[in-house]
Amino acid sequence: MKPYVVGVSGGSGAGKTFILSHLVEKLGADNVCLISQDNYYLPRESQPLDEEGIHNFDTLRSVDMERCFQDVEAVLKGQTVELQEYTFNNPNKKPKTLCFSPKPIILVEGIFIYNHPLLRDLIDLKIFLDVSEHIRLKRRVLRDNVERGYDLQDVLYRYEKHVYPAYGKYISPFKKKVDLIIPNNERYEKALDVLSTFLGVKLAAYQKHHQQNL
């Protein structure tokens, strides 16, 4: 019985990190392997430039999705994978070595995870976090300007020129193709409880199968 793979996507600022941290807490960290697309961004010098010469981190060429697919596939085969944390070009943050090991539940999150056909096929349950645009913008500003220290004008420029177009081109089309849509504007607790219960059933079945085959 293979691990159960859950994909979580949605636009930038949809609350993926927040939702996933709650899922890991409810299911138990020992039962979950969390693989984030954020750690597969290419180096800044490899990022494409827009018409103003600004690095655009919101294109399919910005992320090594093939490596992400290979790592998820390796974990599914029982292998352990190591990867250096991506620190979003923050010189004050020392990157950690991340270790992805096989667990009953594998969570894969990121804005482009459904754009890679082979990775998409590995995902058993596809989730889309649906959030109003003005809330996504607010969350993006709070994250990039307040938490990461990026210049506010740069954050707003990137949202208008990079983030918003990428959402319409690469991300929102999959909203019609997923298994579950979770509105995450304000209230998400009930949806999270339902999802946690469902994954708890999958976890129990995996553990029972494993015990029977020891």
Side-chain angles (χ1 to χ4, degrees):
M1 187 175 185
K2 74 176 188 67
Y4 192 74
V5 184
V6 181
V8 180
S9 189
S12 177
K16 295 181 292 296
T17 302
F18 188 74
I19 291 289
L20 288 165
S21 65
H22 279 259
L23 275 180
V24 172
E25 181 181 351
K26 286 178 176 290
L27 297 172
D30 291 340
N31 299 316
V32 178
C33 173
L34 173 58
I35 300 178
S36 173
Q37 172 207 289
D38 282 355
N39 289 302
Y40 293 88
Y41 275 95
L42 297 174
R44 185 181 185 86
E45 60 270 17
S46 299
Q47 295 294 333
L49 302 176
D50 66 11
E51 62 276 7
E52 299 295 330
I54 304 298
H55 290 97
N56 186 351
F57 291 83
D58 289 274
T59 76
L60 295 182
R61 293 188 293 134
S62 300
V63 187
D64 189 352
M65 292 308 302
E66 181 63 22
R67 170 71 190 277
C68 182
F69 157 70
Q70 292 172 358
D71 285 356
V72 174
E73 186 179 46
V75 173
L76 277 172
K77 292 179 178 178
Q79 303 170 24
T80 296
V81 176
E82 289 189 351
L83 179 72
Q84 188 178 71
E85 177 189 25
Y86 187 79
T87 60
F88 297 92
N89 305 295
N90 184 346
N92 298 318
K93 186 175 181 180
K94 184 178 180 180
K96 299 180 293 185
T97 297
L98 305 174
C99 183
F100 305 137
S101 57
K103 300 289 178 61
I105 305 291
I106 299 177
L107 299 178
V108 184
E109 71 93 4
I111 60 176
F112 296 140
I113 60 172
Y114 299 145
N115 293 95
H116 192 290
L118 295 179
L119 176 58
R120 188 169 67 242
D121 288 345
L122 292 180
I123 299 174
D124 300 302
L125 177 66
K126 301 174 183 66
I127 298 172
F128 190 96
L129 299 184
D130 189 26
V131 180
S132 300
E133 182 189 342
H134 71 282
I135 294 180
R136 288 192 285 111
L137 173 58
K138 176 183 176 181
R139 291 173 179 170
R140 176 86 178 204
V141 169
L142 287 173
R143 186 194 72 184
D144 286 358
N145 178 243
V146 178
E147 296 178 14
R148 295 178 180 170
Y150 295 169
D151 178 76
L152 179 58
Q153 291 303 314
D154 180 63
V155 174
L156 295 175
Y157 175 90
R158 290 178 185 278
Y159 191 90
E160 178 186 357
K161 301 294 185 179
H162 303 166
V163 177
Y164 181 73
Y167 180 78
K169 185 176 182 179
Y170 302 121
I171 304 166
S172 64
F174 286 98
K175 183 178 174 180
K176 299 179 180 179
K177 302 177 183 180
V178 298
D179 304 302
L180 180 64
I181 298 174
I182 298 179
N184 189 28
N185 290 314
E186 294 180 7
R187 302 177 66 95
Y188 65 90
E189 293 86 355
K190 291 183 179 179
L192 184 59
D193 286 342
V194 171
L195 179 59
S196 299
T197 300
F198 173 77
L199 294 179
V201 172
K202 293 293 183 182
L203 174 60
Y206 182 95
Q207 292 172 334
K208 181 179 179 181
H209 178 84
H210 181 72
Q211 292 172 353
Q212 290 176 343
N213 287 273
L214 287 177

